[in-house]
Amino acid sequence: MTPPETRGLCDAWTIPGDVTYLNHGSFGPSPRVVQDARSAWSARLERQPMQFFVRDMETELDAAAATLADLVGADADDLIFVDNATAGMNIVAASVDLRPGDEVLLSDHEYGAVVRIWREACRRAGAALVVRPLPSPLDSAEAVADELLSGITDRTRLIVVSHVTSPTAAILPVALICRRARERGVAVCIDGPHALAMIPVNLRQIDCDFYAASCHKWLSAPFGSGFLYVARRRQRDLRPAVMSWGGSISGRPASWKDEFSWSGTRDPAAFLAVPAAIAFLETYGLDDFRRDTHQLAASARRRIGELTGLEPLVPEGPAWYGSMVAVPLPATAAEPVHPAQPDPLQAALWQRFRVEAPVMRWQGRRLLRVSCHLYNGPSDIDRLVAALAELTRGGNPLS
């Protein structure tokens, strides 16, 4: 297979040529064709707002949702567009009826913002947030499910779990977790921004209660596009985070989605450009995309591991990680003054080498997270490894 960088795909994006961008997992830029689609939708709105909002918008959102639903193995009637996974997770947190003494169960691999959302929801309700450590290393789907679900008690009302974890880039066995949670009568909300497009997602097979995802990550849809899937058994209990008029603005029959489709005057162009992003990846081939980007991530994992001598977090292979991999780094005594302050290694990679790759702090460990997309090629991994090697000269342990 020809490496992606020789196929002209670098030109499909607007990333500057002197930047080695290996952080699609945080902020995934859209290719030009998706940027153009978004601009076209905004221009259509500006030409005739009444026509767009009152007569066209709901039908166009339905069509975009249908295209997205095909990708994720769901019915379009069970999806709503939201700005991002965080917005979707906040809707779920505002809708789940927690009472004093209830518990919400998370793993210790969850995204910091998600932990914060549910900690606050539990505080307001007088409920408890229970964080369950997963096995280390993660080398058995059954063991992962066993360890998480061992935290269930008769007070557990919801499990919140990542499909692909943010700090550790690990694929978790969410279908198994959901099946076993249902047997215990516990609802499951999946945080899925890193799974969408990176790995196959079939919501009918997963059968969760809620699934929140950002489309701007691996799908490369516009910033400000995401979705929330809600199982039909949960839809009538869902409450909007922003309340407006409710009902259909065009006068269609009422739907549970109305509260979310119209939350005041806003430009929905990011949502409506999602099909353009899907078409872009499907033209390349989703299986090819997953294979090629996984191979780049695997190369980064192997070569950085050779530099550090540290054991990986998960076994080799696409069952455990996809287009993104978190590679352990040597520990350092110094911690950033503030969580938002970049690790010195991350700062040095950018300032000295124009390489964008985040260094994560998780459970007292340092992890270099490398994300690969279709604008990346083997030479990007070469530049990253060369930069790391130079930073280690003189006995400096990647600090």
Side-chain angles (χ1 to χ4, degrees):
M1 181 63 67
T2 305
E5 63 186 351
T6 67
R7 302 188 202 175
L9 282 174
C10 294
D11 291 338
W13 272 265
T14 55
I15 300 170
D18 65 338
V19 173
T20 300
Y21 197 78
L22 292 166
N23 194 20
H24 203 96
S26 291
F27 309 111
S30 299
R32 296 175 190 273
V33 65
V34 177
Q35 296 179 37
D36 291 345
R38 179 178 188 164
S39 296
W41 282 112
S42 291
R44 177 171 162 182
L45 162 61
E46 295 289 352
R47 280 196 300 271
Q48 224 291 34
M50 277 293 292
Q51 177 68 32
F52 186 89
F53 281 130
V54 177
R55 306 180 189 101
D56 298 341
M57 183 182 72
E58 290 176 341
T59 299
E60 298 293 359
L61 286 172
D62 286 347
T67 302
L68 177 59
D70 286 342
L71 178 68
V72 299
D75 293 333
D77 288 344
D78 299 333
L79 302 180
I80 56 172
F81 284 109
V82 293
D83 286 354
N84 46 48
T86 299
M89 192 64 69
N90 272 276
I91 291 171
V92 178
S95 302
V96 172
D97 186 19
L98 294 177
R99 301 187 180 185
D102 287 348
E103 294 176 353
V104 175
L105 177 61
L106 281 70
S107 86
D108 64 340
H109 288 245
E110 299 311 313
Y111 185 51
V114 170
V115 176
R116 188 166 184 258
I117 289 166
W118 287 103
R119 182 181 291 122
E120 176 60 18
C122 288
R123 186 198 65 79
R124 290 196 307 265
L129 185 70
V130 178
V131 179
R132 190 77 182 174
L134 296 184
S136 181
L138 298 172
D139 56 9
S140 162
E142 286 286 347
V144 168
D146 286 345
E147 195 62 41
L148 178 61
L149 297 173
S150 68
I152 293 178
T153 71
D154 59 2
R155 297 182 296 277
T156 306
R157 296 293 168 263
L158 182 72
I159 296 171
V160 180
V161 62
S162 293
H163 199 164
V164 177
T165 64
S166 177
T168 53
I171 300 171
L172 299 185
V174 293
L176 175 61
I177 290 168
C178 288
R179 176 174 60 79
R180 291 178 55 185
R182 283 194 307 276
E183 294 169 356
R184 304 279 295 274
V186 178
V188 179
C189 176
I190 297 177
D191 187 39
H194 287 293
L196 181 62
M198 184 203 288
I199 60 176
V201 176
N202 189 315
L203 294 174
R204 294 188 186 93
Q205 292 179 1
I206 294 171
D207 196 16
C208 56
D209 295 85
F210 309 98
Y211 193 106
S214 298
C215 298
H216 74 261
K217 291 187 183 286
W218 302 99
L219 188 58
S220 284
F223 292 111
S225 63
F227 76 88
L228 176 65
Y229 162 85
V230 184
R232 295 190 182 180
R233 58 186 176 271
R234 302 288 180 182
Q235 289 171 4
R236 67 179 179 181
D237 298 326
L238 211 67
R239 297 192 288 267
V242 177
M243 182 171 289
S244 186
W245 284 97
S248 164
I249 192 172
S250 63
R252 301 191 311 183
S255 162
W256 74 277
K257 300 169 70 168
D258 292 339
E259 290 280 8
F260 306 92
S261 296
W262 182 261
S263 57
T265 304
R266 60 175 305 180
D267 183 353
F271 304 151
L272 297 173
V274 166
I278 295 173
F280 177 82
L281 282 187
E282 288 181 338
T283 297
Y284 185 91
L286 280 167
D287 289 341
D288 290 345
F289 160 70
R290 291 163 183 155
R291 182 192 60 246
D292 291 349
T293 55
H294 173 76
Q295 287 176 353
L296 289 174
S299 174
R301 167 179 143 131
R302 174 181 56 79
R303 295 175 65 185
I304 297 169
E306 290 170 353
L307 276 179
T308 65
L310 298 175
E311 291 296 317
L313 298 175
V314 297
E316 180 54 55
W320 286 102
Y321 69 96
S323 312
M324 178 175 74
V325 66
V327 186
L329 295 174
T332 58
E335 290 277 348
V337 175
H338 187 275
Q341 180 182 352
D343 185 278
L345 175 62
Q346 178 178 335
L349 284 171
W350 172 247
Q351 293 164 5
R352 293 179 56 183
F353 302 98
R354 300 283 283 176
V355 173
E356 292 280 22
V359 175
M360 321 294 284
R361 296 273 179 165
W362 173 79
Q363 303 297 327
R365 304 180 70 173
R366 294 169 77 225
L367 306 171
L368 178 65
R369 200 182 70 181
V370 181
S371 300
C372 304
H373 212 281
L374 292 177
Y375 47 79
N376 296 121
S379 64
D380 293 319
I381 306 305
D382 292 342
R383 283 190 287 272
L384 171 64
V385 174
L388 293 172
E390 184 167 333
L391 290 169
T392 65
R393 288 175 186 164
N396 186 344
L398 296 179
S399 61

